[in-house]
Amino acid sequence: MTTVTTSAPTSESIAEPWATEQTITCRDDRVGLRAVIAIDDTTLGPGFGGVRLRSYPSTEAAAREAQRLAAAMTLKHALAELPYGGAKSVVMLDGEAPAPGTPERRALFTRFGEMIARTAGMYIPGVDMGTLLGDMQAIRDDGGARAFCDEVSPSPFTARGVYAAMRAAAVHHHGEGGLAGLHVVVQGVGSVGAEVARLAHADGARLTVADVDTARAEELARELGGATVDAGEAPFHDADVFAPCAIARVVMRDTIERIPARIIAGAANDTLDDPGCAEALHEAGIVFVPDFVANAGGVIQVHGGVVGWSDAETLAAVDRIGERVTGLLETAQEQGITPLAAALQRASDALGREVTA
Ligand code: NAI
């Protein structure tokens, strides 16, 4: 039998003990489980957020990531008007993950499910980086916890929402023509970014795509009659719209002046290196659509599955991201604040407390 090895806990304490409503550590050496559940805020409903499976340099780093991502889920659900709070969990890996379908993996997630069940439904897990539908099924069926086990991939819905957000920002900035004739650069053409590029192309945009997997970018560029650019140079490529759809923190304060695009709207979580970048972008005349508003299509689709919406109802709900972005941009313009500040104001109203990024 292969032994599942997970990171040994370090002597460091949890990153921010009071950053969330609850931060729960979970340990069982028999199955090699070390995990952190962060339940950020349950004002609007039980905390829903994915389970990440990856290695971390320390317990503190794992806890910090769970808390940060949980807080982003609170904002995402509040802005998408969904009846969930924000939560996230991380399962710490040391070395290779146990292969899908093995008894070791099942045992790991079953045990984690038993611990999630102790939250009495206040933490609802879903698939996230490193985890699979089968892991959620182990959490639910063997662990006895509530878990969202939708078999539909959220990515096309996330892409549709990002496209709706991008289009709304383009209409706000350039008028009714929307994306027609605009140059859109997409960084990261995986399951979300490639679909965002296709939707923008179908709407009349000219596309340049970038990916560390250059073959993937080249193939998509061929399909769309577009061009490619080096992955790291994508934010600085001449464009009207920049869509970050790969990694976090691609917008950094000291490189904002090199960004030619007037609109930034993408799927990547945590696009801004620090929240102060929103003000700097505003001053530079760049419209930044907050990532947690633009990329909510996936959670909207999951919710549609839970409450039994028809396909048409789910798509209409995802498309409403566009209207929401229009509303935020109008509020921002009227009040002379950033779209991020407008979004945080809306979240503060929904949650009944002041929310900061
Ligand atoms: P994916 O893994 O399918 O695609 C990511 C793509 O980015 C890959 O093609 C990868 O080669 C490329 N990439 C990685 N590092 C890069 C870099 N430094 N520069 C350029 N390209 C790079 O991931 P997916 O599902 O498309 O998600 C994209 C982003 O959107 C992620 O940040 C994810 O957290 C976020 N997101 C995704 C959601 C979904 O429904 N899939 C929901 C909400 C957010």
Side-chain angles (χ1 to χ4, degrees):
M1 176 171 155
T2 336
T3 316
V4 178
T5 48
T6 60
S7 313
T10 65
S11 58
E12 294 161 291
S13 58
I14 294 293
E16 287 277 355
W18 312 117
T20 54
E21 268 185 29
Q22 282 186 291
T23 297
I24 304 162
T25 55
C26 308
R27 169 185 167 178
D28 188 333
D29 291 342
R30 287 166 300 184
V31 296
L33 175 71
R34 298 252 197 271
V36 182
I37 302 169
I39 302 175
D40 180 66
D41 186 304
T42 57
T43 308
L44 301 175
F48 160 43
V51 184
R52 262 191 192 184
L53 175 67
R54 54 165 285 208
S55 60
Y56 291 89
S58 66
T59 309
E60 189 188 38
R64 198 185 302 122
E65 176 158 283
Q67 291 176 334
R68 199 172 47 77
L69 295 169
M73 293 306 286
T74 301
L75 291 177
K76 191 183 295 203
H77 295 148
L79 265 294
E81 297 167 37
L82 294 175
Y84 305 113
K88 206 83 169 187
S89 66
V90 301
V91 176
M92 299 169 69
L93 261 187
D94 186 6
E96 289 291 299
T102 57
E104 291 76 19
R105 185 148 177 145
R106 190 90 189 170
L108 180 69
F109 283 99
T110 296
R111 189 71 183 117
F112 189 39
E114 288 168 1
M115 298 206 182
I116 292 170
R118 294 177 189 168
T119 69
M122 289 314 277
Y123 171 50
I124 309 172
V127 169
D128 201 276
M129 194 186 288
T131 55
L132 302 161
L133 179 62
D135 302 328
M136 295 313 117
Q137 286 163 342
I139 286 172
R140 180 191 61 185
D141 300 341
D142 300 346
R146 187 177 181 202
F148 287 161
C149 298
D150 201 320
E151 290 183 32
V152 179
S153 162
S155 301
F157 298 89
T158 302
R160 188 172 169 121
V162 170
Y163 161 70
M166 182 188 283
R167 189 172 206 290
V171 168
H172 184 82
H173 199 74
H174 296 280
E176 271 311 317
L179 292 173
L182 297 189
H183 183 192
V184 176
V185 171
V186 181
Q187 183 187 44
V189 286
S191 42
V192 177
E195 192 56 22
V196 169
R198 288 190 185 101
L199 290 167
H201 175 257
D203 201 8
R206 180 161 68 85
L207 266 300
T208 295
V209 295
D211 203 294
V212 285
D213 182 340
T214 51
R216 184 177 287 177
E218 277 157 21
E219 193 183 327
L220 185 66
R222 265 195 303 279
E223 177 191 324
L224 303 179
T228 60
V229 62
D230 177 78
E233 280 303 306
F236 315 118
H237 194 67
D238 191 31
D240 299 296
V241 181
F242 171 52
C245 296
I247 50 165
R249 296 167 189 232
V250 288
V251 174
M252 283 169 265
R253 217 184 268 248
D254 54 356
T255 55
I256 285 174
E257 61 183 30
R258 293 182 53 212
I259 301 176
R262 295 297 93 183
I263 294 169
I264 299 179
N269 289 308
D270 267 348
T271 297
L272 304 184
D273 189 39
D274 74 85
C277 289
E279 198 63 51
L281 286 167
H282 190 60
E283 280 162 19
I286 301 172
V287 175
F288 169 66
V289 179
D291 38 62
F292 57 85
V293 178
N295 71 15
V299 290
I300 292 171
Q301 179 267 324
V302 169
H303 177 65
V306 171
V307 297
W309 282 345
S310 67
D311 290 351
E313 285 170 319
T314 299
L315 294 180
V318 172
D319 290 345
R320 277 198 291 280
I321 289 175
E323 290 157 37
R324 228 164 263 141
V325 168
T326 303
L328 288 175
L329 297 182
E330 284 171 358
T331 302
Q333 199 165 28
E334 281 158 23
Q335 300 186 13
I337 56 176
T338 67
L340 177 62
L344 293 174
Q345 229 173 53
R346 201 153 295 181
S348 301
D349 291 346
L351 297 168
R353 64 176 172 92
E354 198 190 335
V355 182
T356 52

